[in-house]
Amino acid sequence: MARKRMTEAEERQAIADAVAARDDDTIPARADLTPGEAGTVVLSVRLPFDQARALRAIAASRRQPLSSLLTDAVQAVIATGGPQLMVGEGVKRLYVVGAGFDSGETLGTPVGPPMLSSSISSNEVEGATA
Amino acid sequence: MKVSGFEFDERNLVHLTRHGIDANLVWDVFLGNPRFFVNPPREGRSGSHLMIGRSSDGRHWTIVMVLVDDAAALWRPITGWPSTVKEVALWRANE
């Protein structure tokens, strides 16, 4: 099969079929699919504009693409034994605090706890605590 | 058959977001050793593949996806939802 581009109508129909199957007595069969072992994953980070601008300024000062700065930051967190997580439920904000960063370098102007900080939307927080 | 990647664009991301799902969550479930299933095709209905698994916060999710490029093992998530009791049982039975 060559690369298939689903039309909007096909995709709508496929969604309707899947929802219909969910609601009937259909028992899905185990499928012989295996996750590929190699490759890369693209993850996104949601940040307020001001924090994203601060990161961009740091990347520019290093003459480094913003993407590679983010990648370096995440890899540094992993290399230092993992981040500490603090969830401020009142403000619906998740802080990822990792060692190995100078707060000034990471965020420019620290907001809340220093180091790497990322806010997530309220429904994600609800998902995390449900 | 393998699953090596997912296709995201504005269309499926907008739809998935309405169900509380984003690309990070799809990867989260995928990286957590999910189980894969296929809905048997019926008259007028194509069989879609389901990825059922847990996100890193422990919640079960069902992601519906279709194969868009078999050479690259690229799949397109088209919709999803928090797993139903039936789907969680299915996942457990295949652990």
Side-chain angles (χ1 to χ4, degrees):
Chain A
M1 182 187 84
R3 179 71 178 269
K4 182 192 176 194
R5 174 76 186 154
M6 288 187 88
T7 66
E8 193 167 352
E10 286 172 336
E11 188 157 330
R12 245 195 325 263
Q13 184 60 50
I15 291 169
D17 290 345
V19 171
R22 174 195 183 192
D23 292 335
D24 66 18
D25 292 331
T26 303
I27 303 296
R30 181 79 185 263
D32 186 24
L33 300 184
T34 54
E37 292 171 6
T40 57
V41 171
V42 178
L43 299 173
S44 60
V45 179
R46 184 173 296 137
L47 292 172
F49 267 18
D50 58 342
Q51 293 183 4
R53 285 197 185 97
L55 273 179
R56 201 267 177 195
I58 295 162
S61 72
R62 295 181 181 182
R63 304 189 68 79
Q64 183 181 19
L66 179 57
S67 175
S68 69
L69 176 66
L70 280 170
T71 302
D72 289 350
V74 171
Q75 288 173 344
V77 168
I78 293 168
T80 53
Q84 300 168 16
L85 295 177
M86 292 184 295
V87 179
E89 293 183 9
V91 294
K92 302 283 190 190
R93 193 174 275 261
L94 172 68
Y95 299 102
V96 181
V97 183
F101 290 105
D102 176 276
S103 61
E105 283 193 350
T106 305
L107 281 179
T109 305
V111 177
M115 311 303 176
L116 187 63
S117 170
S118 169
S119 67
I120 60 177
S121 68
S122 59
N123 75 335
E124 287 170 299
V125 170
E126 285 163 10
T129 56
Chain B
M1 189 177 291
K2 287 193 173 183
V3 183
S4 292
F6 296 106
E7 179 185 74
F8 292 106
D9 57 28
E10 189 178 355
R11 196 167 76 205
N12 61 349
L13 283 174
V14 166
H15 178 86
L16 290 164
T17 299
R18 290 197 202 110
H19 293 257
I21 296 168
D22 63 12
N24 286 355
L25 179 60
V26 173
W27 283 114
D28 191 351
V29 173
F30 175 76
L31 295 169
N33 198 19
R35 304 289 178 266
F36 297 96
F37 303 91
V38 59
N39 281 318
R42 286 186 178 184
E43 192 176 345
R45 178 190 298 176
S46 54
S48 50
H49 283 76
L50 309 177
M51 176 171 70
I52 302 177
R54 283 191 297 194
S55 53
S56 48
D57 62 3
R59 299 184 76 193
H60 289 83
W61 291 90
T62 298
I63 308 295
V64 182
M65 56 194 206
V66 294
L67 181 64
V68 290
D69 188 330
D70 58 354
L74 187 66
W75 294 75
R76 180 177 177 84
I78 56 170
T79 190
W81 46 74
S83 299
T84 63
V85 172
K86 181 179 87 172
E87 289 161 349
V88 173
L90 192 62
W91 174 82
R92 286 221 167 89
N94 285 275
E95 243 185 316

